[in-house]
Amino acid sequence: MGSSYDCDVVIIGGGIVGLSAAYALSLARPDADVIVLEKEPRLGAHQTGHNSGVIHSGLYYKPGSLKARFALAGAAEMVEFCKEQGLPHEVTGKLVVAVDETELPRLRALAERGREHGLPIRELAAGEIAAYEPHVRGVAALHVGTTGLADFPAVAERYAELSGARIRTGNAVTAIDRRADGVTVTTSLGEVRARALVNCAGLYSDRVARLAGDEPGLRIVPFRGEYFALSPGAAALVRGLVYPVPDPAFPFLGVHLTRDLVGGVHVGPNAVPALAREGYGWGRISVRDLAETVSWPGTWSLASRHWRAEAVELHRSLSHRAFTRALRRLLPDITEHDLVPAPAGVRAQAVDRTGALVDDFAFAQGPRTVHVLNAPSPAATASLLIGREIASRTLTALDA
């Protein structure tokens, strides 16, 4: 590295994806000097620190997609990484439950997809559900044995430790100047000169790409995932992880039940449009973020196709009773008083110009730059593989 550079690679974004990239780079090229820039005062402050903690099996993902390939291998690799590093985790399995006869064709299609992926799938009749979840009701279910739980903020912190990268928190990126021989990133605390840049900015990935001079062809439209926790008494009604049969036309899994690593049970998420990229509640509004969302043609195409489903989500957001009613389809013994508000998350959902939801992981490259433009769930599950993918692309950019 020449004296005109501060580092070989600068990574924007200190979430689990950016830190996995730093870790993968340290393994692929141990002599590489890496700086990670994070605008918050701590690592993993947004999607990494606000997710369900589920190690996803890959059941839902289209065969051949990056999501499917990375989740299937990534789940096993994540369990091994947690074992090796002594990090909290558990392989719990999960149930996907059809609550009425209309959902049976979709449940059977999921079973076929799971077998195609090579997952350990067991199909359950109504009377067999109680052996796994005595208080859950349905007409049929699937049991998937490889689903589990991990402490993903702890995983991200371990990536940071193992990477040897220089971590600079409190550095919000304000400008990027790309030249033939490198990139200069201006932050709120100074400049960083690097030979290559990696954009893992999550909720701001499209904005960072444009700062670098690369038009991503999509926009991040934020969706807030709203959660409740079950009261301690009600938590005893749930043993593990319980999911409804998802609607394949909608990118979210529906309201589900997740027992965490310390014995609590989270319920959700509800998925509603956020009024800011960090809109963790209805009171958080960003005029800039809203303007970018409503000025993007794809937003209106998306709304025209999914407004009925989103109206249901909004109703559940605004009505505690409606949320409870949706949950009681799976767990009839629950009441409104059993639900305690819990912290929300915001999903960085990429939407293209036609209004199509970008369903797979999406990467892009420009001169001296690598952009991670879409990394929704199961990004945490697959973070070791995603990190290696980013590292491979970055080394290509460095060696160009």
mmCIF file of all heavy atoms in Angstrom, residues 4 22 41 224 295 320 373 385-386:
data_model
loop_
_atom_site.group_PDB
_atom_site.id
_atom_site.type_symbol
_atom_site.label_atom_id
_atom_site.label_comp_id
_atom_site.label_asym_id
_atom_site.label_seq_id
_atom_site.Cartn_x
_atom_site.Cartn_y
_atom_site.Cartn_z
ATOM 1 N N SER A 4 0.049 7.259 0.004
ATOM 2 C CA SER A 4 -1.066 8.154 -0.269
ATOM 3 C C SER A 4 -2.394 7.577 0.204
ATOM 4 O O SER A 4 -3.423 8.254 0.126
ATOM 5 C CB SER A 4 -1.148 8.466 -1.762
ATOM 6 O OG SER A 4 -1.365 7.285 -2.503
ATOM 7 N N ALA A 22 -15.316 -7.644 6.448
ATOM 8 C CA ALA A 22 -13.995 -7.365 7.018
ATOM 9 C C ALA A 22 -13.324 -8.653 7.485
ATOM 10 O O ALA A 22 -12.115 -8.870 7.257
ATOM 11 C CB ALA A 22 -14.131 -6.381 8.174
ATOM 12 N N PRO A 41 -22.676 5.400 17.190
ATOM 13 C CA PRO A 41 -21.602 5.258 18.179
ATOM 14 C C PRO A 41 -21.276 3.810 18.534
ATOM 15 O O PRO A 41 -20.308 3.552 19.250
ATOM 16 C CB PRO A 41 -22.154 6.012 19.400
ATOM 17 C CG PRO A 41 -23.636 6.020 19.232
ATOM 18 C CD PRO A 41 -23.878 6.055 17.748
ATOM 19 N N ARG A 224 -41.246 -0.940 8.594
ATOM 20 C CA ARG A 224 -41.054 -1.185 10.021
ATOM 21 C C ARG A 224 -41.683 -2.517 10.399
ATOM 22 O O ARG A 224 -42.842 -2.793 10.049
ATOM 23 C CB ARG A 224 -41.670 -0.063 10.860
ATOM 24 C CG ARG A 224 -41.423 -0.240 12.367
ATOM 25 C CD ARG A 224 -41.808 0.972 13.194
ATOM 26 N NE ARG A 224 -43.213 1.299 13.100
ATOM 27 C CZ ARG A 224 -43.701 2.304 12.381
ATOM 28 N NH1 ARG A 224 -42.883 3.081 11.676
ATOM 29 N NH2 ARG A 224 -44.993 2.546 12.337
ATOM 30 N N SER A 295 -41.006 9.882 -4.457
ATOM 31 C CA SER A 295 -40.594 10.321 -5.790
ATOM 32 C C SER A 295 -40.108 9.166 -6.662
ATOM 33 O O SER A 295 -39.872 9.343 -7.861
ATOM 34 C CB SER A 295 -39.492 11.382 -5.693
ATOM 35 O OG SER A 295 -38.312 10.825 -5.116
ATOM 36 N N HIS A 320 -54.601 -2.954 18.533
ATOM 37 C CA HIS A 320 -54.107 -4.045 19.374
ATOM 38 C C HIS A 320 -55.020 -5.263 19.249
ATOM 39 O O HIS A 320 -54.573 -6.409 19.194
ATOM 40 C CB HIS A 320 -54.057 -3.546 20.822
ATOM 41 C CG HIS A 320 -53.209 -4.370 21.727
ATOM 42 N ND1 HIS A 320 -52.741 -3.922 22.936
ATOM 43 C CD2 HIS A 320 -52.746 -5.640 21.639
ATOM 44 C CE1 HIS A 320 -52.043 -4.858 23.535
ATOM 45 N NE2 HIS A 320 -52.029 -5.915 22.767
ATOM 46 N N LEU A 373 -26.501 -4.007 -2.292
ATOM 47 C CA LEU A 373 -27.684 -3.176 -2.460
ATOM 48 C C LEU A 373 -28.933 -3.760 -1.818
ATOM 49 O O LEU A 373 -29.886 -3.030 -1.546
ATOM 50 C CB LEU A 373 -27.942 -2.934 -3.954
ATOM 51 C CG LEU A 373 -26.841 -2.168 -4.692
ATOM 52 C CD1 LEU A 373 -27.133 -2.132 -6.181
ATOM 53 C CD2 LEU A 373 -26.691 -0.760 -4.132
ATOM 54 N N LEU A 385 -21.087 -16.519 4.415
ATOM 55 C CA LEU A 385 -20.998 -16.701 2.964
ATOM 56 C C LEU A 385 -21.073 -15.369 2.235
ATOM 57 O O LEU A 385 -20.349 -15.153 1.254
ATOM 58 C CB LEU A 385 -22.100 -17.637 2.472
ATOM 59 C CG LEU A 385 -21.846 -19.132 2.669
ATOM 60 C CD1 LEU A 385 -22.133 -19.548 4.099
ATOM 61 C CD2 LEU A 385 -22.673 -19.959 1.705
ATOM 62 N N ILE A 386 -21.952 -14.480 2.697
ATOM 63 C CA ILE A 386 -22.037 -13.159 2.074
ATOM 64 C C ILE A 386 -20.704 -12.433 2.216
ATOM 65 O O ILE A 386 -20.234 -11.778 1.281
ATOM 66 C CB ILE A 386 -23.173 -12.341 2.707
ATOM 67 C CG1 ILE A 386 -24.520 -12.967 2.376
ATOM 68 C CG2 ILE A 386 -23.143 -10.891 2.224
ATOM 69 C CD1 ILE A 386 -25.685 -12.319 3.104
#
